[in-house]
Every structure is written in C-alpha cells, then in structure tokens.
C-alpha cells in the first residue's frame, strides 16, 4: 500500500461495458454550476445511462455537457415552471437542489454524484466503476437487525458467522447505498481548519449494513438509492440562498431516511464504492454555512434518536408527513427555521405525489 495511488484514475481508452446493469432503470442526477467536463473521465461507466442535470444558480448561464451523453437539464426557471408555488421547497444556490432531479425522474434507481468527483483507483491500480458497485449493493439484501462481524455476508468469500440467527439471514431490501471518498475527506469546517492538508488514502475493502437504531452522517456526493423504496424521503431540505444554514442538506435527508427505513424494515449500506474527491471547499465559507448547524445538531440528533413513528405509517409518504409534524412540534423550539422546514417537508411530499401519482392497486 506504500505506493498506492488513489487517483484520479486514467480511464482514457477504457471500453464501455457491453451490457450495463439496469441501463433502463436508473437515472444519474448531477447538481452543478459549471460545465461538466468531469464526465469525460466517467464516460466508460456512465455514458450508457440517462443523466438528469440540475443547474444551480444563474439560469441564464449555459452549461456545456460533453457530446455523446443522453441528458435532460433543468435550471431554476424550469423548476419554477414545473412546480409553481411549490418550487419554494427546492433550495437555491445550493447543491441541495439535486433532489428536484429525484422528483422528476421516472426510474426505479438513482445515482447522484458531485461534479468534483472523479474515478478512483483501487489498490491494484484498476479504475473503480462506482456505479456498478452501488447497483450491486442495492440489489443485495441488508442485515440491519443483527451485526455480522465479517461485514457484508453476501460477498464472495464471506458468509454469516457462527451465532448469526438463521431466521435473519435472508436480510431485507436495501434502500440506500452510501459510498465513500479518497483524497479529500468529507469533513466539517472546524476539522478542515485544523487539518488542512489531511488526505484520505485508506482504501477499506468493506461494505456494512448500518444497524437499526443507529444514525449516520450521509454524504450526497457518492450516493445511490432505490427510488421506489425510499425516494419521497430523499428531500435535501431548505439550504443556501435565504436560509440560515448550509451543508446539512444530505445529512438531514440521511437522518430522515434512516428513521424511516428502520420503521419500514429496510436497509442502508455504507462503504464501497470509493470515488476520488478532487477539490476541498473553502473552510471559512463552509464555517459560515455550518456554524448554526454545529450547535443545532446537538438537539437534532437526540430528536431523531427518539423519533417514534406510529404503526399506521405504512408508506414513506405517511412516515415523512408524520416526521414533519414532529419536527414542527419539537425542533421549532430550537429555531423558527425548523417551523419553515417542516412546512417545506409537507410541500415536498405534495409536489412528489403530484409528479408521481400512485398507481392503482391491482384488483
């Protein structure tokens, strides 16, 4: 490992896989403010798939996409036109706007990635097909009710260890696959400031199911999920322009998703795949965005740890509406922002259901 080069990988000349997994069942959602030159590196892995690009910031700016990619692009004007008054629930001047792409997609699966994330190398020097690994994670069961000390029991060369209950070995459906990053770690601003030169070169070849009852800080830069299982809960909140907080969008969605997947008996995995995160954001800018959240999270985390969803909440939408009521009741005491956020959570579900009408039950 001494000479391990984590990336970015050289994918020039790499062949596109002949039969891409879930080609017609998956959309790739990318939030951006710039030309998407980074897609050239991802071409061997992502070109067969449909892209949904959500343009943040100035809608008059032209975003250039490399030739050969199949995509649709939405800017703020499009969001306002499609959602009307409900567009207020979609953040502006913040990557949280990516969740609009989740809403307008008609596919079963979503992979979302940031435009400063490149293809990483594994320890053998081979470029990592992050999307392929996410798909494998999503198509494989999770084991949230009992921890397996060999981690992912369904991988080749592993299994359930002695003492693991046979009644739990079938696992449960996986709703979310949470990938990690080499090079620039996903640190908060205070950690960035005290460790400005720190880089992650540790490639850990592991996939874990996050146990039931355990929260985690979800990062949206390398993430995939089953839209049918958990899509309505993947709301990235109110962040950015006009809001008192930023950089908590993906974590808010992660906390909501975790309590809902726990309630509905679904799983979330973390670990592989890795991407190469190329650029560290400005820690002083990040601190301005995060500083209220750093204080608020000391109340937010206990709130989510103690959330109880009633048994009547049998769908993601019902769970999310109930969660919004509890946010309004308990977190509005922390700051009036949470009263506004709770209302936006309801608006999000209304907009989701409007664009994604429920199919009638088969008779």
């Amino acid at each position: 490992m001494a000479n391990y080069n984590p990336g970015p990988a050289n994918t020039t000349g790499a062949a596109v896989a002949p039969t891409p997994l879930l080609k017609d069942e998956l959309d790739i959602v990318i939030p951006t403010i710039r030309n998407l030159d980074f897609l050239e590196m991802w071409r061997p892995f992502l070109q067969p798939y449909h892209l949904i690009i959500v343009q943040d910031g100035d809608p008059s700016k032209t975003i250039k996409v490399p030739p050969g990619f199949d995509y649709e692009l939405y800017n703020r004007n499009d969001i306002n036109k499609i959602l009307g008054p409900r567009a207020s629930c979609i953040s502006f001047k913040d990557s949280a706007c990516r969740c609009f792409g989740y809403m307008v997609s008609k596919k079963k699966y979503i992979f979302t990635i940031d435009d400063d994330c490149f293809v990483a190398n594994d320890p053998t020097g081979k470029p990592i097909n992050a999307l392929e690994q996410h798909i494998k994670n999503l198509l494989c069961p999770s084991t949230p009710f009992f921890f397996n000390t060999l981690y992912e029991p369904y991988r080749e060369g592993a299994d359930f260890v002695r003492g693991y209950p046979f009644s739990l070995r079938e696992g449960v459906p996986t709703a979310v696959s949470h990938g990690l990053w080499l090079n620039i770690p996903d640190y908060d601003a205070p950690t960035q400031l005290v460790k400005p030169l720190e880089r992650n070169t540790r490639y850990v070849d592991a996939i874990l199911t996050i146990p039931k009852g355990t929260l985690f800080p979800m990062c949206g830069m390398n993430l995939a999920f089953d839209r049918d299982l958990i899509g309505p809960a993947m709301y990235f909140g109110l962040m950015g322009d006009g809001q008192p907080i930023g950089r908590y969008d993906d974590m808010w969605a992660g906390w909501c998703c975790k309590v809902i997947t726990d309630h509905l008996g679904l799983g979330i995995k973390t670990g592989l795949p890795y991407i190469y995160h190329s650029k560290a954001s400005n820690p002083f800018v990040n601190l301005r965005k995060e500083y209220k959240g750093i204080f608020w999270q000391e109340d937010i985390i206990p709130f989510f740890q103690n959330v109880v969803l009633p048994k009547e909440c049998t769908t993601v939408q019902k769970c999310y509406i109930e969660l919004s009521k509890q946010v309004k009741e308990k977190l509005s005491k922390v700051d009036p922002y949470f009263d506004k956020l709770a209302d936006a959570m309801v608006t999000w579900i209304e907009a989701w259901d409007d664009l994604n009408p429920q199919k009638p039950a088969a008779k």
Side-chain angles (χ1 to χ4, degrees):
M1 292 290 287
N3 297 318
Y4 172 42
N5 172 23
N10 181 5
T11 59
T12 304
V16 174
T19 53
L21 295 171
L22 303 179
K23 175 181 178 296
D24 299 319
E25 299 179 66
L26 183 143
D27 279 334
I28 299 170
V29 175
I30 304 170
T32 192
I33 58 171
R34 58 182 62 87
N35 294 335
L36 295 182
D37 300 328
F38 90 111
L39 284 174
E40 285 294 352
M41 176 178 285
W42 285 100
R43 187 181 291 277
F45 306 133
L46 304 189
Q47 185 173 345
Y49 296 88
H50 179 69
L51 311 182
I52 298 178
I53 301 164
V54 185
Q55 180 178 344
D56 192 19
D58 183 3
S60 67
K61 181 179 178 180
T62 300
I63 299 292
K64 295 181 180 178
V65 181
F69 285 91
D70 173 39
Y71 70 93
E72 52 192 304
L73 188 150
Y74 298 92
N75 61 32
R76 192 68 201 187
N77 294 338
D78 300 315
I79 295 172
N80 292 339
K81 182 178 179 180
I82 292 169
L83 296 185
R86 290 175 177 154
S88 62
C89 73
I90 304 298
S91 297
F92 184 55
K93 293 185 179 179
D94 193 280
S95 65
C97 67
R98 79 176 77 218
C99 63
F100 176 77
Y102 310 160
M103 182 187 288
V104 296
S105 171
K106 302 302 178 188
K107 305 289 180 61
K108 177 173 171 56
Y109 299 101
I110 296 289
F111 171 48
T112 185
I113 187 171
D114 284 5
D115 60 14
D116 61 351
C117 293
F118 299 156
V119 178
N121 290 319
D122 70 15
T124 71
K126 180 182 177 182
I128 298 168
N129 185 345
L131 176 53
E132 182 180 60
Q133 182 62 58
H134 275 302
I135 292 172
K136 290 178 179 178
N137 291 350
L138 291 171
L139 295 180
C140 189
S142 290
T143 54
F145 304 121
F146 202 90
F147 188 78
N148 191 53
T149 50
L150 275 182
Y151 308 128
E152 175 65 276
Y154 306 108
R155 294 184 74 188
E156 185 177 352
D159 211 322
F160 293 97
V161 298
R162 180 170 55 90
Y164 201 100
F166 283 88
S167 59
L168 296 177
R169 293 190 181 194
E170 286 188 6
V172 301
T174 300
V176 180
S177 172
H178 178 256
L180 299 175
W181 347 268
L182 292 166
N183 194 40
I184 306 293
D186 186 31
Y187 285 162
D188 53 39
T191 308
Q192 281 185 292
L193 286 166
V194 298
K195 295 182 172 182
L197 301 180
E198 184 157 293
R199 299 294 181 263
N200 180 35
T201 58
R202 294 177 63 243
Y203 180 97
V204 181
D205 187 12
I207 305 163
L208 290 76
T209 295
I210 301 174
K212 182 178 180 180
T214 301
L215 297 174
F216 76 111
M218 189 173 83
C219 172
M221 76 171 84
N222 176 23
L223 180 73
F225 61 92
D226 186 321
R227 192 172 171 276
D228 289 351
L229 288 181
I230 200 62
M234 274 289 178
Y235 175 47
F236 276 39
L238 290 175
M239 303 284 153
D241 196 48
Q243 308 302 334
I245 186 175
R247 285 173 56 82
Y248 275 80
D249 50 336
D250 42 8
M251 290 185 291
W252 179 263
W255 297 326
C256 292
C257 284
K258 189 58 171 66
V259 298
I260 291 174
T261 54
D262 283 355
H263 175 76
L264 295 178
L266 303 170
I268 296 178
K269 293 184 178 184
T270 188
L272 301 182
Y274 283 92
I275 52 84
Y276 184 91
H277 186 206
S278 66
K279 185 176 66 176
S281 49
N282 186 308
F284 296 101
V285 173
N286 291 345
L287 187 60
R288 284 203 301 270
K289 294 177 179 179
E290 291 176 5
Y291 80 96
K292 288 193 175 182
I294 291 170
F295 291 102
W296 290 349
Q297 70 187 24
E298 301 306 318
D299 294 294
I300 295 171
I301 300 303
F303 164 76
F304 280 105
Q305 287 174 328
N306 291 285
V307 161
V308 176
L309 297 173
K311 64 179 185 298
E312 292 78 18
C313 292
T314 54
T315 67
V316 176
Q317 281 93 331
K318 289 179 181 178
C319 290
Y320 205 73
I321 292 297
E322 172 61 28
L323 197 52
S324 73
K325 294 175 183 176
Q326 296 190 31
V327 168
K328 183 178 283 285
E329 177 188 350
K330 298 178 181 178
L331 288 182
S332 292
K333 302 169 186 175
V334 176
D335 192 273
Y337 164 78
F338 290 99
D339 192 64
K340 184 166 60 171
L341 177 57
D343 291 339
M345 292 168 71
V346 175
T347 302
W348 161 263
I349 292 296
E350 291 172 348
W352 182 283
D353 286 345
D354 188 46
L355 291 180
N356 300 277
Q358 294 291 308
K359 299 174 183 176
K363 294 183 179 180

